Amino acid sequence: DGGITQSPKYLFRKEGQNVTLSCEQNLNHDAMYWYRQDPGQGLRLIYYSQIVNDFQKGDIAEGYSVSREKKESFPLTVTSAQKNPTAFYLCASTREDRVDQPQHFGDGTRLSIL
Amino acid sequence: QKEVEQDPGPLSVPEGAIVSLNCTYSNSAFQYFMWYRQYSRKGPELLMYTYSSGNKEDGRFTAQVDKSSKYISLFIRDSQPSDSATYLCATPNTGFQKLVFGTGTRLLVSP
C-alpha cells in the first residue's frame, strides 16, 4: 500500500540538541511539506519542497532545516535554535505542487522537551 | 482576521444525528476547499475536496460551498461514534499549494 511514513512516533529532545524527524513516501509524489500542529492553532507550514534538491521556507521556518536529496524522503531537523519545539509534526505530499492537487498526510511525530 | 475561521467546539451529538460543521474564509480568490478528518494522535485524512460553489456528496458526507458568503460546510448524516474526531477545513492560498487550515472542530458522537 502506498503512503507516507513518519518516524519516530514520539521523540524527546534535550536542551541544546538537534533532532531529525523522518518522512518517507512511496506515492511517487513530487511535492512534500512539513507542518507543525499546536492546540488551538491549526497547522502551520514550516518548509515545502516542490522537487528534488529544492525547498522553500514556509511561515515558521526559523529554527528548522530540511533536505530533499531523494524524491521519497524529506527529513526535518529541529535545531537548538527552535526555542519552543514541543508540538505535533506532520509531513504531507502531493503529486504536484498545484492548487488542484490535495495533500495527503502521514501520522505525525510528537516532539517533547526533556 | 484569520484567513480561515472555524469554531473549535467540542460539538456533542447523539448517534444518528445530522451534523453540520462550518468554516468561513476571508479571501474571495480561494477556489478549492478541503475537509480533513483527524483522529487523536493521527494525521489528517482527506474526506472531501470541492471546487468553487455548490454541493458534493460522498456517502454520508456532503460538502457545500457558498462563495457569495465565503462559507463552507460539511454535513454528516446518520452520525456514528466512529465519526468522533477533529474536522479541519483547508484551502490553498493562491499560486501554489500553501494550504491554509482552520483550527479544527472537535466532534463527539455519543452512542
Side-chain angles (χ1 to χ4, degrees), chain A residues 37-88:
Chain A
Q37 187 175 31
D38 295 279
Q41 291 202 47
L43 278 71
R44 292 181 289 166
L45 183 65
I46 305 172
Y47 267 97
Y48 66 100
S49 168
Q50 295 170 302
I51 201 163
V52 175
N53 293 323
D54 185 53
F55 50 84
Q56 286 83 38
K57 293 181 179 179
D59 297 321
I60 55 165
E62 187 174 346
Y64 300 98
S65 66
V66 294
S67 63
R68 186 86 188 277
E69 297 174 4
K70 297 188 299 181
K71 187 175 185 177
E72 313 80 59
S73 179
F74 191 39
L76 173 74
T77 297
V78 183
T79 75
S80 56
Q82 173 48 247
K83 295 308 178 190
N84 183 22
T86 297
F88 191 44

Side-chain angles (χ1 to χ4, degrees), chain A residues 9-10 33 35 37 40-43 45 48 59 88 90 94 97-107, chain B residues 2 32 34 36 38 41-46 49 88 92-104:
Chain A
K9 201 171 178 66
Y10 300 96
Y33 311 81
Y35 292 89
Q37 187 175 31
Q41 291 202 47
L43 278 71
L45 183 65
Y48 66 100
D59 297 321
F88 191 44
L90 289 160
T94 188
D97 187 38
R98 285 169 34 180
V99 293
D100 62 339
Q101 298 287 319
Q103 293 181 17
H104 300 274
F105 286 82
D107 274 341
Chain B
K2 286 186 179 177
Y32 295 86
M34 295 120 186
Y36 286 87
Q38 186 176 24
R41 299 187 185 88
K42 293 285 193 179
E45 166 196 12
L46 182 66
Y49 175 48
L88 301 153
N93 185 0
T94 67
F96 67 96
Q97 261 271 42
K98 178 188 168 183
L99 277 183
V100 179
F101 283 86
T103 53

Side-chain angles (χ1 to χ4, degrees), chain B residues 5-83:
Chain B
E5 302 226 36
Q6 194 173 4
D7 188 326
L11 175 63
S12 295
V13 300
E15 183 175 356
I18 296 175
V19 175
S20 172
L21 301 164
N22 307 297
C23 287
T24 58
Y25 62 94
S26 58
N27 190 337
S28 57
F30 292 161
Q31 296 273 18
Y32 295 86
F33 303 93
M34 295 120 186
W35 282 97
Y36 286 87
R37 177 176 62 195
Q38 186 176 24
Y39 291 113
S40 183
R41 299 187 185 88
K42 293 285 193 179
E45 166 196 12
L46 182 66
L47 259 185
M48 300 286 284
Y49 175 48
T50 56
Y51 171 69
S52 197
S53 281
N55 291 1
K56 182 176 181 178
E57 192 172 315
D58 184 1
R60 296 185 296 112
F61 299 91
T62 300
Q64 187 175 81
V65 177
D66 182 349
K67 292 202 76 182
S68 62
S69 56
K70 298 188 196 136
Y71 200 80
I72 58 176
S73 301
L74 178 70
F75 298 98
I76 307 174
R77 290 184 299 280
D78 187 25
S79 56
Q80 303 295 309
S82 58
D83 294 328

